[in-house]
Amino acid sequence: MESVARLFLFLCFALFLLSPCRSDPDPLQDFCVANLQTSDVTVDGFPCKQTSSVVSDDFFSTALSKAGNTDNIFSSNVTSADVRSFPGLNTLGLSMNRVDFAPGGLNPPHSHPRATELGLVLHGQLLVGFISTSNVFYSKIVNEGENFVIPRGLVHFQYNMGKEKALAITTFNSQLPGVVVAPLTLFGSKPAIPSEVLAKAFQVDQQVVNQIKSKFGN
Ligand SMILES: *[C@@H]1O[C@H](CO)[C@@H](O)[C@H](O)[C@H]1NC(C)=O
């Protein structure tokens, strides 16, 4: 029995090492407050500030204290406390967003290449859904005080179907989860993806593609 358990542990460990799906690496020191100013050194993440110049404020942030302005085409706004706005997070492997929604607001289909997302609805009610790589759609209406989880890299959205504003807090196991917003990626990239490629992909006329592109600055 013991040897079976040991074999299982070994297999888990081997799979873990081989897996391309790992969260941020473990830190090698207490902290490494990001020096965002350094431009001549590029590393995976950000270089550390000198410990002698690290201050208390490096470990506190007001990035999420104010609601984002939802007066835009999606009627939602994502505000990030990631390593770029909160340098104390550098090497610590986690970050947080607030997502504000006007009534009818949508955080459009998107994915985070480097993190799993754990969300909490603080106010209101959201339809939250994601699509697995087997193309199965999982969704639920999430109420105030309830959680949801979005497995790493999968396309997902949150939609405020209610008549009130909504607010969600989302947390990530990466200091910089990254975001690929489906409509912006496909129709708003610079330079633009050739319309014939998108017409073929979506099985519509190029005219339709151009119309969508025009909504996203192309
Ligand atoms: C989100 O809110 C911030 C703060 O009000 C604002 O500066 C930004 O332009 C907003 N983003 C969008 C996409 O509306």
Side-chain angles (χ1 to χ4, degrees):
M1 200 56 207
E2 200 189 315
S3 62
V4 172
R6 232 182 277 160
L7 178 67
F8 178 73
L9 272 181
F10 172 77
L11 282 176
C12 287
F13 184 63
L15 277 175
F16 174 75
L17 285 181
L18 292 173
S19 169
C21 272
R22 270 189 283 160
S23 49
D24 291 8
D26 285 335
L28 304 177
Q29 61 282 301
D30 279 358
F31 53 78
C32 164
V33 175
N35 180 354
L36 302 175
Q37 269 38 276
T38 310
S39 56
D40 52 345
V41 185
T42 51
V43 293
D44 192 13
F46 295 94
C48 313
K49 261 172 90 165
Q50 290 296 340
T51 303
S52 56
S53 57
V54 169
V55 294
S56 290
D57 274 352
D58 288 320
F59 302 106
F60 298 86
S61 168
T62 57
L64 302 188
S65 62
K66 291 197 181 73
N69 181 356
T70 57
D71 193 10
N72 56 54
I73 55 170
F74 297 124
S75 305
S76 75
N77 194 312
V78 178
T79 309
S80 296
D82 61 28
V83 69
R84 293 169 306 184
S85 59
F86 188 175
L89 294 179
N90 196 39
T91 75
L92 299 184
L94 78 182
S95 59
M96 188 180 278
N97 285 351
R98 69 175 287 159
V99 194
D100 290 278
F101 300 83
L106 173 70
N107 188 9
H110 65 279
S111 66
H112 304 288
R114 290 182 290 276
T116 287
E117 169 174 336
L118 173 60
L120 170 68
V121 176
L122 275 189
H123 300 301
Q125 201 178 46
L126 296 171
L127 172 67
V128 178
F130 72 85
I131 303 96
S132 72
T133 58
S134 307
N135 224 15
V136 179
F137 176 49
Y138 298 92
S139 74
K140 189 168 177 173
I141 291 173
V142 185
N143 297 300
E144 206 165 288
E146 297 176 353
N147 283 113
F148 57 90
V149 65
I150 310 293
R152 177 174 167 155
L154 299 185
V155 173
H156 61 285
F157 65 84
Q158 294 110 14
Y159 180 43
N160 180 11
M161 299 168 79
K163 292 190 167 42
E164 311 290 327
K165 288 183 188 176
L167 171 63
I169 294 293
T170 52
T171 56
F172 302 90
N173 61 338
S174 170
Q175 64 177 24
L176 193 60
V179 62
V180 178
V181 183
L184 303 182
T185 297
L186 292 173
F187 298 97
S189 67
K190 297 277 182 282
I193 299 173
S195 291
E196 59 187 291
V197 170
L198 295 172
K200 183 81 172 172
F202 288 95
Q203 296 289 292
V204 293
D205 292 336
Q206 287 191 32
Q207 217 176 305
V208 176
V209 169
N210 293 337
Q211 193 190 346
I212 302 174
K213 276 182 166 178
S214 71
K215 312 254 182 208
F216 300 104
N218 273 334

